[in-house]
């Protein structure tokens, strides 16, 4: 009975502990330290509660901190320092470029003093006092450990070591690739109870909850009342660094007094938000009334000048599938020619053999009549002839089977093209169909190689007599050379397709 009571007491204490831990953090959205689309920038280009400069450009959908040009720097900073101790920041961004290697990267800042807009450390100032979460995309130390996400603390006295990519100064970090993803990448930075936690969304899915842990660091002491900011920079190489949104929330413990939102403060915030929304809608309506033609023309003015990432990828897929289909069609045509020549040669040999057998069975002429002229006997026995016929039939069957595989690959290619045209809105190919297409092409190559090997390993046949006929050695040599040429042509087409796939 005593053990039962002890277990019951332990379960009760554990339940109270779990309940208290699951209800200790209260999150409150801070709109004065956040920005997000749509209508991120106002009519005059300003971002409410934020300031940006350098080469940064603000639009209605994002803030481009550094465009894909060399030696570009830009940053955006909050106008006021935060007035709460614990916080969580959700950043959605895209780093895109044409090169296989990008530069230089972007950084999130929590510092006591706002940095520069064209500083030396990813567009911000060096010797900062606070925290920097750096998304470094260029490998300065040549250790092949980039793109890399790292946290760097500074007390305002140390300079960032660019040569070693800050490896001797980082608090913690993780190796993650955030360049050229199909969906925007995201980072969630949480600072609560002197514990810094960074979660990362790799941008491979559109699921907003698909985060994984990058790193967690404890006993992190940050100064109070810091400014929030995001900066980016390019060097000899360049990427587009776009920040789509930055959402800040303050974190409070329910056990702390005075941290809960009362009804008066909530009503005040709701009223400010409603007034801001009305003001924004009024400005949009006034602009539409003042510039009706300009608004209508701008909707489709530059649509035909540029192509989106999905359109470019779809165009490249269509071009690649078209090349594959042309190669398969050309190979099928060559196979038809080979089969036709084989059939013609077989019919000629059959005619010569039939004529020779007929001449052998004829009786000699009557007395006084000239003897019937006979064709010389072929130095080929019945067994050799049957073996030659069997080999030729094997070649014809193998080539016909190869043609069937080519027709199947062509049919699958047509289905891939139809699937891409029908699913253009999805912007992606069926991976299973692509794998089947690749297996079909590999099967074709293996069959061509098998035919060449069987022809080369065939036993030698007796030569034809000095009559007007085609020799077996010459026939097999022609067939083997044609198959070898087709095999080399298929390898050449595969190499060209592999080179074309490097561009997307």
């Amino acid at each position: 009975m005593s053990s039962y009571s002890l277990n019951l007491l332990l379960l009760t204490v554990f339940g109270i502990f779990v309940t208290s831990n699951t209800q200790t953090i209260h999150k409150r959205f801070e709109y004065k330290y956040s920005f997000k689309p749509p209508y991120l920038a106002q009519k005059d280009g300003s971002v409410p509660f934020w300031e940006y400069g350098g080469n940064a450009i603000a639009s209605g959908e994002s803030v481009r901190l550094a465009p894909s040009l060399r030696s570009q720097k830009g940053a955006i900073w909050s106008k006021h320092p935060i007035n709460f101790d614990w916080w969580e920041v959700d950043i959605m961004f895209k780093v895109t470029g044409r090169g296989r290697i990008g530069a230089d990267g972007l950084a999130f800042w929590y510092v006591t003093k706002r940095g520069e807009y064209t500083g030396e450390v990813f567009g911000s100032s060096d010797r900062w006092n606070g925290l920097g979460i750096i998304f470094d995309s260029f490998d300065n130390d040549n250790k092949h450990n980039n793109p890399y996400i790292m946290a760097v603390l500074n007390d305002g006295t140390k300079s960032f070591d660019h040569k070693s990519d800050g490896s001797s100064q980082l608090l913690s970090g993780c190796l993650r690739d955030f360049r050229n993803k199909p969906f925007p990448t995201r980072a969630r930075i949480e600072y609560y109870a002197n514990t810094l936690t960074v979660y990362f969304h790799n941008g491979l899915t559109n699921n907003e909850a698909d985060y994984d842990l990058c790193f967690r660091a404890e006993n992190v002491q940050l100064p109070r009342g810091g400014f929030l900011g995001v900066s980016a920079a390019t060097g000899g190489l360049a990427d587009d660094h776009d920040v789509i949104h930055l959402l800040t929330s303050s974190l409070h413990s329910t056990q702390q007094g005075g941290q809960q939102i009362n009804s008066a403060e909530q009503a005040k915030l709701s009223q400010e938000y409603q007034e801001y929304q009305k003001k924004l809608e009024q400005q949009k309506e006034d602009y539409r009334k003042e510039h009706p033609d300009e608004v209508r023309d701008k909707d489709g003015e530059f649509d035909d000048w540029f192509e989106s990432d999905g359109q470019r990828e779809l165009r490249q897929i269509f071009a690649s599938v078209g090349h594959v289909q042309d190669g398969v069609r050309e190979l099928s045509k060559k196979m038809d020619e080979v089969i036709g020549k084989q059939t013609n040669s077989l019919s000629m040999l059959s005619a010569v053999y039939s004529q020779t057998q007929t001449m052998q069975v004829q009786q000699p002429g009557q007395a006084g009549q000239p003897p019937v002229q006979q064709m010389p006997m072929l130095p080929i026995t019945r067994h050799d002839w049957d073996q030659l016929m069997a080999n030729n039939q094997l070649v014809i069957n193998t080539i016909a089977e190869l043609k069937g595989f080519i027709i199947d690959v062509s049919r699958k290619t047509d289905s891939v093209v139809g699937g891409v045209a029908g699913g253009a809105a999805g912007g992606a190919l069926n991976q299973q169909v692509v794998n089947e297409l690749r297996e079909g092409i590999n099967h074709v190559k293996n069959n061509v190689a098998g035919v060449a090997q069987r022809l080369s390993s065939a036993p030698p046949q007796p030569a034809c007599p000095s009559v007007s006929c085609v020799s077996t050695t010459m026939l097999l040599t022609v067939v083997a050379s044609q198959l070898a040429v087709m095999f080399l042509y298929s390898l050449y087409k595969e190499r060209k397709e592999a080179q074309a796939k490097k561009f997307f």
Side-chain angles (χ1 to χ4, degrees):
M1 190 69 180
S2 60
S3 61
Y4 174 77
S5 301
L6 180 60
N7 292 332
L8 182 61
L9 178 62
L10 290 176
L11 288 175
T12 305
V13 172
F14 180 74
I16 296 174
F17 177 75
V18 171
T19 305
S20 62
N21 281 322
T22 55
Q23 297 179 357
T24 52
I25 300 178
H26 176 76
K27 185 183 297 186
R28 168 183 166 183
F29 178 68
E30 302 290 342
Y31 69 94
K32 292 184 178 181
Y33 305 97
S34 307
F35 59 83
K36 63 177 181 178
Y39 310 110
L40 189 150
Q42 299 297 299
K43 184 170 60 175
D44 56 355
S46 63
V47 179
F49 309 111
W50 293 80
E51 293 181 354
Y52 63 92
N55 301 115
I57 303 172
S59 64
E61 300 297 328
S62 64
V63 179
R64 175 158 293 180
L65 299 175
S68 56
L69 300 173
R70 293 183 178 180
S71 303
Q72 301 290 300
K73 300 176 182 179
I76 182 170
W77 293 93
S78 61
K79 291 183 179 180
H80 306 287
I82 63 176
N83 54 6
F84 38 86
D85 295 333
W86 318 121
W87 43 265
E88 178 185 279
V89 176
D90 184 5
I91 307 175
M92 179 186 291
F93 62 94
K94 292 190 70 174
V95 179
T96 56
R98 297 184 179 180
R100 291 184 293 110
I101 302 175
D104 283 337
L106 58 84
F108 164 79
W109 303 100
Y110 173 82
V111 292
T112 57
K113 182 181 178 181
R114 286 187 297 178
E116 301 177 1
Y117 297 107
T118 58
E120 297 296 328
V121 183
F122 297 91
S124 183
S125 302
D126 201 355
R127 300 179 183 271
W128 69 92
N129 184 13
L131 170 68
I133 305 294
I134 300 175
F135 300 83
D136 190 359
S137 56
F138 185 73
D139 191 9
N140 289 291
D141 55 3
N142 199 23
K143 292 184 179 180
H144 306 287
N145 57 351
N146 288 84
Y148 195 78
I149 304 174
M150 57 182 168
V152 181
L153 296 177
N154 199 339
D155 56 1
T157 61
K158 294 175 289 187
S159 297
F160 184 74
D161 187 7
H162 288 280
K163 293 183 179 180
S164 64
D165 287 330
S167 58
S168 61
Q169 300 171 322
L170 63 89
L171 174 67
S172 185
C174 62
L175 186 65
R176 296 290 188 274
D177 187 8
F178 48 82
R179 293 185 67 250
N180 295 329
K181 297 303 179 181
F183 299 99
T185 52
R186 304 178 68 166
R188 191 170 70 220
I189 306 166
E190 178 183 308
Y191 179 64
Y192 182 78
N194 296 331
T195 300
L196 179 66
T197 309
V198 175
Y199 300 92
F200 181 71
H201 187 295
N202 55 17
L204 297 178
T205 64
N206 201 19
N207 185 7
E208 296 182 357
D210 192 10
Y211 283 93
D212 62 337
L213 178 64
C214 178
F215 64 85
R216 176 180 286 109
E218 298 181 353
N219 299 324
V220 178
Q221 301 291 335
L222 295 181
R224 299 183 62 181
F227 290 86
L228 301 180
V230 185
S231 65
T234 63
L237 301 176
D239 284 335
D240 285 326
H241 300 80
D242 299 327
V243 179
I244 300 174
H245 74 216
L246 188 148
L247 307 178
T248 304
S249 300
S250 58
L251 304 179
H252 307 282
S253 173
T254 55
Q255 298 176 357
Q256 297 176 354
Q259 295 293 342
Q260 297 184 1
I261 303 177
N262 52 33
S263 58
E265 187 177 358
Q266 186 174 5
K268 180 182 178 182
L269 293 176
S270 300
Q271 183 179 0
E272 290 182 1
Y273 180 75
Q274 294 295 334
E275 292 177 356
Y276 175 73
Q277 287 293 107
K278 291 179 181 179
K279 182 179 177 182
L280 180 61
E281 293 295 333
Q282 185 64 34
Q283 289 179 353
K284 291 191 294 183
E285 188 65 27
D286 295 340
Y287 185 79
R288 293 192 188 100
K289 291 180 180 179
E290 294 176 1
H291 308 85
D293 298 334
E294 183 177 356
V295 173
R296 190 181 302 110
D297 294 337
K298 282 188 175 180
D299 290 339
E301 181 178 0
F302 300 105
D303 290 347
D304 298 334
W305 289 26
F306 303 96
E307 61 179 0
S308 63
D309 295 338
Q311 291 174 344
R312 181 171 63 252
E313 182 180 359
L314 185 61
R315 177 176 53 80
Q316 292 173 349
I317 291 174
F318 269 117
S320 301
V321 173
H323 289 314
V324 173
Q325 191 174 11
D326 293 340
V328 172
R329 189 181 298 110
E330 187 69 21
L331 186 60
S332 178
K333 187 185 300 182
K334 295 293 183 182
M335 287 293 102
D336 291 337
E337 294 179 1
V338 171
I339 293 175
K341 292 180 180 179
Q342 283 289 98
T343 306
N344 190 17
S345 301
L346 184 61
S347 62
M348 292 175 60
L349 289 175
S350 300
V352 171
Y353 177 74
S354 300
Q355 187 177 2
T356 304
Q357 292 295 103
T358 303
M359 296 296 293
Q360 289 179 358
V361 300
Q362 286 183 355
Q363 296 295 332
Q366 299 292 332
Q369 293 182 357
V372 179
Q373 186 177 0
Q374 298 182 2
M375 292 183 63
M377 290 183 61
L378 292 174
I380 302 177
T381 61
R382 181 71 180 178
H383 176 73
D384 295 335
W385 181 260
D386 293 338
Q387 187 176 2
L388 177 61
M389 295 288 290
N391 290 336
N392 286 333
Q393 190 64 35
L394 179 62
V395 171
I396 293 175
N397 294 337
T398 304
I399 294 177
E401 183 181 2
L402 182 59
K403 180 181 178 182
F405 281 118
I406 293 174
I407 294 173
D408 189 22
V409 171
S410 178
R411 189 183 301 109
K412 291 180 179 179
T413 304
D414 294 335
S415 66
V416 168
V417 175
V420 172
L429 270 176
N430 190 346
Q431 187 65 28
Q432 182 179 0
V433 178
V434 175
N435 292 334
E436 292 180 359
L437 178 60
R438 186 182 294 108
E439 292 175 1
I441 294 177
N442 292 333
H443 204 167
V444 170
K445 289 166 49 183
N446 295 333
N447 278 277
V448 173
V451 171
Q453 185 177 3
R454 273 186 256 179
L455 290 177
S456 60
S457 62
Q461 302 295 337
C464 288
S466 58
V467 295
S468 178
C469 65
V470 181
S471 64
T472 306
T473 304
M474 181 62 68
L475 175 63
L476 296 179
T477 303
V478 171
V479 173
S481 61
Q482 290 178 351
L483 292 176
V485 169
M486 286 185 293
F487 179 66
L488 293 176
Y489 178 76
S490 65
L491 291 179
Y492 171 72
K493 293 294 293 182
E494 182 183 7
R495 183 176 180 183
K496 287 188 64 178
E497 293 166 6
Q499 292 177 353
K501 291 178 181 178
K502 293 180 180 179
F503 295 99
F504 61 93

